[in-house]
Amino acid sequence: MPQSLHIAIIGGGAAGFFAAIEAKRNFPHADITIFEKNSKVLAKVEITGGGRCNLTNSFDEISDLKQAYPRGHKLMKRLFKRFDYQHAFDWFEENGVPLVTQEDQCVFPQSQDSHSIIDCLVNTAKRLGVKIQCNHQLTAITELEDERLLLDFKVSKEKGNLSGASSASHPVSEIRQIAFHRVAITTGGHPKQESFKHLSDLGHTIEQPIPSLFTFNIADKAFKNLMGTVVEPVYTSIPGTKLKAEGPLLITHWGMSGPAVLKLSSHAARYLHENNYQIKISVNWVHESNRSLVEENIQGIIIANPQKQLASIRPYNLPSRLWLFLIQKMGYAPEKKWSEMGKKACNLLIEALTNDLYQVNGKGAFKEEFVTCGGISLNNIDLHTLESKVCPHLFFAGEVLDIDAITGGFNLQAAWTTGYVVGQHIGE
């Protein structure tokens, strides 16, 4: 490898930093620069996990990677043989960040502060000699005859107001062109197709980017009055499909949130988009898919408490407000006695507990951890090196690829894994 190999990493996020660090460790003589379009790096890492940074998962509750990665699971399975969640866990601990695994299998820094991860990545990159340039937005890529890639950047700068009337500054920009021997695109997901234009212009296929990991707006006003209620765990599903999820459900002032909803939105992202986010959602409040067992439970309550009022006995220890809501939704008075529940009423109750339907009218804004599905088609990528098949010496890592995951640290794990693989090969 020539001593003058110049490598550009486009995107100062999790995948970008990991790719840069691993590239510098594998190819120490290479000149490596991270270019970030914003004024600071790792902004998304800073807010993930509510500012605590859910950086990976133990995967103990994942038997098939498709459960965690609705798109890209086959590639992730292949790449995990080289760098998986245990490798990521060990990497951060070896680089000075003690980690803890929660009961829900999510992994966080022991400090419970995302800056532990940010400081680790930034300090490691700088110590190795990786350069970092902010306010550089990539606008075009041109293949040169000498096999280098010419990058066009829009460079933003703050310029003072020279009129003297105000001390406020306003941004100005200039175009800068730099050629590199190798380039890695690690810019994350983009909600708009035009954000991929410089990559589609090279011939890459772009899988339509659409939102994933979002909450549901529910039209039922009485239901939204239960805001703040948490039911754990539940099953959620979309009737007429095989799309389903499970976990805690949180009722909000706009509708439904919580892992059971976010996971479902991830698995159903394309279906929901095709249906303009106007669908029915089914909630199994008791987390029991065997209807006969639920019927046995209800019959047991009736036999043991014939003179008690419906409101006084909560099946499966459901939250009081939710149970009262369900009673009234069925059209019963809370004072009705359990002994008065005939076969028809029991069937209605079992349906309410196991298949409670709501109309979804759009998606809620889940801005803090916004994820998109779609991006660079995996058909355009060498699955061993993550180099483009369309444009030699161009690599991809992170969410810019058509890989995305459910909530729980899985998206950041994809960033570490794909970044690591790019770092292994970009200097070859």
Side-chain angles (χ1 to χ4, degrees):
M1 186 190 76
Q3 292 237 349
S4 57
L5 193 75
H6 290 269
I7 298 174
I9 309 291
I10 311 301
F17 267 84
F18 223 70
I21 289 167
E22 288 306 312
K24 192 66 177 175
R25 284 179 169 165
N26 286 294
F27 311 102
H29 296 296
D31 181 88
I32 301 175
T33 306
I34 295 172
F35 293 94
E36 167 58 43
K37 70 175 182 179
N38 297 310
S39 58
K40 69 175 184 177
V41 296
L42 297 162
K44 198 168 179 181
V45 171
E46 184 176 31
I47 61 174
T48 186
R52 296 187 299 131
C53 191
N54 180 191
L55 72 154
T56 186
N57 192 285
S58 74
F59 283 72
D60 279 358
E61 296 177 356
I62 302 296
S63 56
D64 181 340
L65 282 188
K66 193 170 186 178
Q67 295 170 268
Y69 296 96
R71 287 150 292 272
H73 62 280
K74 289 181 181 177
L75 176 58
M76 292 306 298
K77 184 176 181 180
R78 177 184 186 133
L79 300 183
F80 271 6
K81 293 174 183 174
R82 298 163 63 187
F83 193 88
D84 65 6
Y85 41 94
Q86 189 60 54
H87 292 116
F89 192 104
D90 293 342
W91 191 97
F92 281 99
E93 291 222 314
E94 288 164 7
N95 282 275
V97 185
L99 305 178
V100 293
T101 305
Q102 297 184 163
E103 280 186 28
D104 62 3
Q105 307 310 314
C106 294
V107 177
F108 290 86
Q110 199 174 78
S111 65
Q112 300 293 303
D113 185 350
S114 61
H115 290 96
S116 298
I117 302 299
I118 293 170
D119 293 346
C120 171
L121 292 170
V122 171
N123 292 339
T124 302
K126 287 182 175 178
R127 178 171 50 79
L128 292 171
V130 174
K131 300 168 189 171
I132 301 169
Q133 292 271 1
C134 290
N135 300 308
H136 278 62
Q137 181 175 1
L138 180 66
T139 57
I141 303 174
T142 308
E143 295 179 83
L144 300 177
E145 288 184 8
D146 63 3
E147 296 190 341
R148 290 185 303 163
L149 297 171
L150 181 67
L151 307 184
D152 285 28
F153 292 101
K154 185 169 79 171
V155 184
S156 301
K157 293 182 179 180
E158 290 291 326
K159 185 175 182 181
N161 188 332
L162 302 179
S163 68
S166 168
S167 60
S169 61
H170 59 279
V172 294
S173 62
E174 61 183 31
I175 299 299
R176 182 181 178 195
Q177 288 189 319
I178 320 173
F180 292 90
H181 300 100
R182 305 284 190 277
V183 176
I185 305 293
T186 62
T187 47
H190 300 284
K192 295 181 180 177
Q193 188 101 7
E194 52 263 35
S195 300
F196 292 91
K197 187 176 185 303
H198 56 288
L199 299 172
S200 59
D201 284 349
L202 289 171
H204 294 98
T205 301
I206 310 299
E207 301 294 345
Q208 184 184 11
I210 58 171
S212 179
L213 281 188
F214 48 82
T215 60
F216 292 162
N217 293 336
I218 303 295
D220 190 328
K221 287 183 180 178
F223 178 77
K224 290 185 285 190
N225 286 337
L226 300 174
M227 63 180 179
T229 301
V230 178
V231 189
E232 180 179 3
V234 305
Y235 289 121
T236 54
S237 60
I238 298 175
T241 76
K242 294 182 179 179
L243 299 162
K244 59 185 179 181
E246 65 181 306
L249 185 147
L250 168 65
I251 301 173
T252 68
H253 66 275
W254 66 88
M256 293 181 185
S257 184
V261 170
L262 296 173
K263 289 178 188 177
L264 185 64
S265 78
S266 181
H267 286 287
R270 295 221 173 269
Y271 178 86
L272 288 160
H273 178 75
E274 288 162 8
N275 286 275
N276 200 30
Y277 307 99
Q278 305 288 321
I279 54 117
K280 285 269 197 309
I281 182 175
S282 168
V283 182
N284 181 320
W285 295 110
V286 298
H287 196 248
E288 176 53 74
S289 54
N290 188 325
R291 190 182 172 97
S292 296
L293 291 179
V294 179
E295 187 174 359
E296 281 179 29
N297 187 293
I298 298 303
Q299 291 300 330
I301 292 174
I302 293 171
I303 292 167
N305 307 278
Q307 298 307 306
K308 292 281 183 74
Q309 296 179 352
L310 290 183
S312 66
I313 306 290
R314 292 177 285 129
Y316 294 87
N317 203 30
L318 289 173
S320 301
R321 291 165 68 206
L322 175 64
W323 175 231
L324 280 173
F325 167 79
L326 292 175
I327 292 171
Q328 290 164 345
K329 187 180 178 184
M330 289 183 288
Y332 300 141
E335 299 81 23
K336 185 181 178 78
K337 293 181 180 178
W338 279 97
S339 60
E340 297 169 359
M341 294 287 284
K343 187 171 182 180
K344 184 178 178 182
C346 281
N347 285 334
L348 193 61
L349 173 55
I350 293 163
E351 188 73 3
L353 294 175
T354 62
N355 185 31
D356 194 21
L357 295 175
Y358 295 89
Q359 177 64 42
V360 174
N361 286 335
K363 57 183 174 61
F366 191 55
K367 295 176 182 175
E368 281 197 351
E369 295 182 56
F370 188 76
V371 173
T372 56
C373 79
I376 300 295
S377 171
L378 300 185
N379 294 328
N380 291 166
I381 305 300
D382 181 311
L383 301 182
H384 181 69
T385 63
L386 301 185
E387 183 176 8
S388 169
K389 292 178 181 177
V390 176
C391 178
H393 309 317
L394 183 66
F395 294 74
F396 295 95
E399 207 187 316
V400 70
L401 291 164
D402 187 23
I403 301 172
D404 66 285
I406 63 173
T407 185
F410 302 104
N411 281 296
L412 273 179
Q413 180 58 54
W416 312 135
T417 297
T418 54
Y420 175 87
V421 170
V422 165
Q424 295 283 300
H425 297 286
I426 197 167
E428 291 175 346

